[in-house]
Amino acid sequence: MPKLDLTQIPWRTGSIYPAGKLADAVAGRASQRLGDAGGLTQYGVNLVRLEPGAQSSLRHYHMQQDEFAMVTEGVLTLIENDGETEMRPGDCATFKAGEANGHHFVNRTDVPASFLVVGTRTETETAYYSDIDVMVKIGAEGANFTRKDGSPLTADQIGDET
Amino acid sequence: MPKLDLTQIPWRTGSIYPAGKLADAVAGRASQRLGDAGGLTQYGVNLVRLEPGAQSSLRHYHMQQDEFAMVTEGVLTLIENDGETEMRPGDCATFKAGEANGHHFVNRTDVPASFLVVGTRTETETAYYSDIDVMVKIGAEGANFTRKDGSPLTADQIGDET
């Protein structure tokens, strides 16, 4: 049956970010892996739901993977290099691989908001975080978060501030 | 600006089908190439609008390209090997590359209906049409429609019936 039963696809929370401040930054985010549920392998398609105050990710851009997003519910604020843009259901945005324009969505309303996001699957990937000195390389061994010069993240980058 | 201005993206009609009965089968279909408008190259993302009575394509499946669809407006009927399924805004379907399950959407209502569709871009592609003796090979030279044994389409397949 090609039609997906969305009620049977688990909502995932958490992230690949190192535990601590980075992982805490995406509290209130949950997503369903729609493409995976349907057996697709060439790109990921996720439905991402943000609770009030939550953000989709730390602001970042991908080097190899094209991204496409469409808001499906509520109102989201897209934040990227050129500023902020309010987006409503049906509004779409594209993030071409390799363009150094870090982006993320933030839910500044008091009700949940959701978007559909598509991203190419590649064997390896590098992404850069725009507002912090962090990059990630993803490969067969998983995700390796470092500073942009390749050195390890420091305690103040991953720990809490107490 | 990553947000797309949908009012500026042209609506395309017509198809790659040979003129005649095959092309006439998708009258009432129009689409916006959202991914192309945003410079994406790794997959296509189109918003397809079907007038009452129109269909998205002749029922077919792809050999190399994963497909994903989400209904965004109105009510559409998904027709595939296992029968018919009504789909409403937010409903999603996946069509994994190489699975011999021909599919298309038909608008059986009296108001327009739309869906978002994603398909991988590959240098070559082969698709088979489930209800007719037609296949297509797509490559650098364009689309070549033939019978499934590779022989040319016959006049009765492409002409009108008068």
Side-chain angles (χ1 to χ4, degrees):
Chain A
M1 162 61 76
K3 181 182 171 183
L4 299 175
D5 182 352
L6 296 186
T7 68
Q8 296 303 305
I9 300 174
W11 284 94
R12 300 165 59 102
T13 55
S15 76
I16 62 167
Y17 295 153
K21 281 198 291 194
L22 301 180
D24 292 348
V26 290
R29 178 187 74 178
S31 63
Q32 288 180 303
R33 297 194 172 184
L34 305 186
D36 286 356
L40 304 189
T41 60
Q42 298 167 358
Y43 46 82
V45 184
N46 294 343
L47 185 65
V48 182
R49 182 179 166 100
L50 300 180
E51 297 298 325
Q55 59 186 342
S56 58
S57 63
L58 295 161
R59 194 162 79 88
H60 73 286
Y61 58 92
H62 287 274
M63 294 306 292
Q64 294 189 69
Q65 299 174 350
D66 279 350
E67 281 188 287
F68 173 90
M70 171 185 268
V71 174
T72 58
E73 173 194 24
V75 179
L76 287 167
T77 302
L78 169 63
I79 303 176
E80 38 92 27
N81 287 1
D82 291 333
E84 303 191 356
T85 308
E86 195 174 274
M87 293 183 59
R88 294 172 179 274
D91 287 344
C92 299
T94 54
F95 308 101
K96 183 172 168 57
E99 285 194 356
N101 185 358
H103 52 270
H104 65 170
F105 289 104
V106 178
N107 180 359
R108 293 197 173 138
T109 75
D110 56 7
V111 294
S114 302
F115 65 99
L116 188 78
V117 61
V118 181
T120 315
R121 290 269 164 79
T122 54
E123 290 194 0
T124 61
E125 178 58 312
T126 300
Y128 294 97
Y129 293 85
S130 304
D131 303 320
I132 52 179
D133 185 11
V134 175
M135 64 181 285
V136 61
K137 286 185 177 289
I138 299 173
E141 306 83 31
N144 184 31
F145 285 85
T146 65
R147 297 171 78 100
K148 287 172 182 166
D149 65 3
S151 63
L153 298 182
T154 54
D156 69 299
Q157 287 186 295
I158 58 177
D160 64 28
E161 289 156 314
T162 58
Chain B
M1 162 61 78
K3 181 182 173 185
L4 299 176
D5 182 351
L6 297 185
T7 67
Q8 296 302 306
I9 300 175
W11 284 94
R12 300 165 59 103
T13 55
S15 75
I16 63 168
Y17 295 155
K21 281 198 294 194
L22 300 179
D24 292 348
V26 290
R29 178 187 75 179
S31 63
Q32 288 180 303
R33 296 192 172 184
L34 305 186
D36 286 355
L40 304 189
T41 60
Q42 298 168 358
Y43 46 81
V45 185
N46 294 343
L47 185 65
V48 182
R49 181 179 166 100
L50 300 180
E51 297 298 325
Q55 57 186 342
S56 59
S57 63
L58 295 161
R59 195 162 79 86
H60 72 286
Y61 58 92
H62 287 273
M63 294 307 291
Q64 295 188 68
Q65 299 173 351
D66 279 350
E67 281 189 284
F68 173 90
M70 172 186 268
V71 175
T72 58
E73 173 195 25
V75 179
L76 286 166
T77 302
L78 168 63
I79 303 176
E80 38 92 26
N81 287 1
D82 290 335
E84 303 191 358
T85 308
E86 195 173 273
M87 294 183 59
R88 293 171 180 277
D91 287 344
C92 299
T94 54
F95 308 101
K96 183 173 169 56
E99 286 195 353
N101 186 358
H103 52 270
H104 65 170
F105 290 104
V106 178
N107 180 359
R108 293 196 172 139
T109 76
D110 56 6
V111 294
S114 302
F115 64 101
L116 188 79
V117 61
V118 182
T120 316
R121 289 268 165 79
T122 54
E123 290 194 0
T124 60
E125 178 59 312
T126 300
Y128 294 97
Y129 293 85
S130 304
D131 302 320
I132 51 179
D133 184 11
V134 175
M135 64 180 284
V136 62
K137 287 186 178 288
I138 298 173
E141 306 83 31
N144 184 31
F145 286 85
T146 64
R147 297 171 77 102
K148 288 171 183 166
D149 66 3
S151 62
L153 297 182
T154 54
D156 70 297
Q157 288 186 294
I158 58 177
D160 63 27
E161 288 157 313
T162 58

